[in-house]
Amino acid sequence: MPRYIIALTGASGAVYALRLLEELLKQDNSEIHLITSDAARIVMEQELGWDCQDSLALSLQRYLPPGKIFFYDNSDIAAAPASGSFICDSMVVIPCTMASISAIAQGSSRTLLERAADVMLKERRPLFLVPRETPLNSIHLRNMLTLSEMGVSIIPAMPAFYHQPRTIEDMVSFVVGKVLDAMQIPHDLFQRYAGQIKK
């Protein structure tokens, strides 16, 4: 059974997280362990127009298709994903704040998200980060280089245009498709470039 840790931070790009969760829940027998921060709830409210007064978990359950999903608060540092004995296929932080990238790069491990990411690094399991929107300063770039050198996949939320997107959903699907590609999960979220055909 595929098991994934998905973490949502307070970075802009909540729609990317929602789309990824939808795609992962389409897989047979997939198990998702979702870590959310208070800031992620605020972003969901602002960017998606959700009312998350109860909890982000309850709001997501209303919008997501049925599936095996476990919810964790980012302050719950004793949760299962904080342990190296918790086996999972990969972890994705989407969208990822620069504060989270900094903490992961420096190994601070003060929250569940940071501890889970640190576990992925020490156990040499796949970790994928989807940084928030531009611009980036030199500190951000150095932190991402540090993580890249440790084997972390950095997948910026940068849509391409060779597939001729017509809607925001098309651009979101492209970015999420790139995350799924990195996770080696088949999808049909965008039309792949086939090269020019010479006659």
Side-chain angles (χ1 to χ4, degrees):
M1 172 186 297
R3 177 188 278 178
Y4 309 106
I5 300 173
I6 307 297
L8 281 65
T9 73
S12 180
V15 67
Y16 295 120
L18 184 60
R19 191 78 174 93
L20 178 63
L21 289 168
E22 290 171 346
E23 289 300 311
L24 292 177
L25 286 169
K26 289 179 183 177
Q27 293 189 82
D28 291 336
N29 299 319
S30 65
E31 185 178 294
I32 297 173
H33 293 259
L34 183 63
I35 302 170
T36 59
S37 68
D38 288 338
R41 177 185 58 79
I42 294 169
V43 171
M44 287 282 189
E45 290 178 336
Q46 291 180 342
E47 295 188 351
L48 302 179
W50 289 8
D51 180 2
C52 302
Q53 289 184 353
D54 296 328
S55 73
L56 183 52
L58 289 174
S59 298
L60 281 166
Q61 286 173 326
R62 286 195 292 267
Y63 288 95
L64 290 172
K68 201 166 187 180
I69 186 164
F70 301 88
F71 294 90
Y72 305 93
D73 188 273
N74 198 27
S75 64
D76 186 5
I77 57 174
S83 171
S85 63
F86 180 81
I87 305 297
C88 69
D89 292 270
S90 60
M91 176 177 178
V92 183
V93 185
I94 180 171
C96 189
T97 62
M98 289 302 142
S100 295
I101 284 176
S102 175
I104 296 168
Q106 303 307 316
S108 66
S109 299
R110 295 165 300 179
T111 66
L112 178 58
L113 184 158
E114 293 167 14
R115 287 186 181 214
D118 191 58
V119 165
M120 300 302 286
L121 290 171
K122 79 181 182 70
E123 301 292 339
R124 300 189 184 277
R125 297 175 187 149
L127 175 60
F128 307 97
L129 306 180
V130 182
R132 54 92 169 138
E133 87 291 341
T134 192
L136 303 172
N137 66 32
S138 297
I139 296 171
H140 304 153
L141 294 169
R142 287 190 189 101
N143 285 333
M144 286 190 277
L145 177 60
T146 295
L147 290 167
S148 179
E149 289 174 342
M150 287 190 281
V152 176
S153 294
I154 309 294
I155 309 169
M158 298 176 181
F161 295 92
Y162 59 78
H163 62 300
Q164 299 181 341
R166 289 182 167 81
T167 65
I168 291 175
E169 185 178 347
D170 289 342
M171 291 188 282
V172 169
S173 291
F174 179 87
V175 171
V176 172
K178 287 295 185 177
V179 174
L180 293 171
D181 282 350
M183 297 172 74
Q184 299 184 352
I185 297 174
H187 66 86
D188 57 358
L189 290 180
F190 61 84
Q191 184 175 347
R192 298 183 185 279
Y193 179 66
Q196 294 181 338
I197 299 174
K198 294 182 179 180
K199 296 183 179 179

